[in-house]
Amino acid sequence: MKSWGEKLNDPRPHQVKPAPVDMSGMKKGEIMLIPTAKIVDAFIRTIGKGRSMDVPTLRARLARKYKAQVTCPITTGIHLRIVAEAAWEAHRKGAPLSRITPFWRVLDGKSSTTAKLSFGAAVVKARRAAEGLPA
């Protein structure tokens, strides 16, 4: 079984192609970014300390950056979990919090992705509180 770090570093490229169906505010045929975990990771690393961004905004900004109209919500959710799990895995292996991807700036205590994290919502809430962000 792959580690979260290995999943984060999957070499497959991102894709930009027409959305196959209507879903989550996307219309069939709109040009859709299917991001990689590395793209999501790199974007989250640009969010400054004490700042946060919700997932719809993250998706909109990624789409714009990659010249798409929308970003796949399913793939984004999967990659958000990979980014968070890989960051926390690195932290558990000794990486200081200042060196890991600050996933708590996108995920909050109520997010469906947060509910799936192996380390639980308490970590997300504590990290958000440490930066003065709402739980």
Side-chain angles (χ1 to χ4, degrees):
M1 184 172 191
K2 286 185 181 181
S3 71
W4 291 107
E6 288 169 325
K7 291 177 184 182
L8 176 66
N9 290 301
D10 185 326
R12 289 180 285 188
H14 70 281
Q15 297 176 43
V16 177
K17 63 185 188 179
V21 295
D22 290 356
M23 79 169 126
S24 299
M26 296 186 322
K27 301 285 182 229
K28 180 178 179 178
E30 282 185 306
I31 302 304
M32 174 181 69
L33 168 67
I34 301 173
T36 63
K38 287 299 278 183
I39 285 172
V40 173
D41 184 84
F43 191 87
I44 292 172
R45 285 177 178 270
T46 69
I47 302 170
K49 186 173 184 173
R51 300 186 60 121
S52 65
M53 180 180 296
D54 63 16
V55 176
T57 303
L58 172 94
R59 287 178 46 219
R61 292 193 180 166
L62 282 174
R64 210 170 22 252
K65 181 175 180 177
Y66 286 87
K67 300 189 178 6
Q69 295 170 288
V70 293
T71 298
C72 178
I74 296 167
T75 308
T76 302
I78 291 166
H79 291 329
L80 279 170
R81 179 170 183 203
I82 290 170
V83 167
E85 295 280 6
W88 202 248
E89 181 179 77
H91 179 60
R92 284 194 320 263
K93 290 180 179 176
L97 288 170
S98 62
R99 300 289 304 268
I100 66 171
T101 304
F103 56 86
W104 54 88
R105 294 179 189 159
V106 175
L107 298 177
D108 61 28
K110 301 173 199 109
S111 157
S112 61
T113 301
T114 300
K116 297 173 188 170
L117 297 174
S118 65
F119 50 85
V123 168
V124 174
K125 290 176 184 177
R127 294 306 320 137
R128 288 180 71 84
E131 290 193 19
L133 300 171

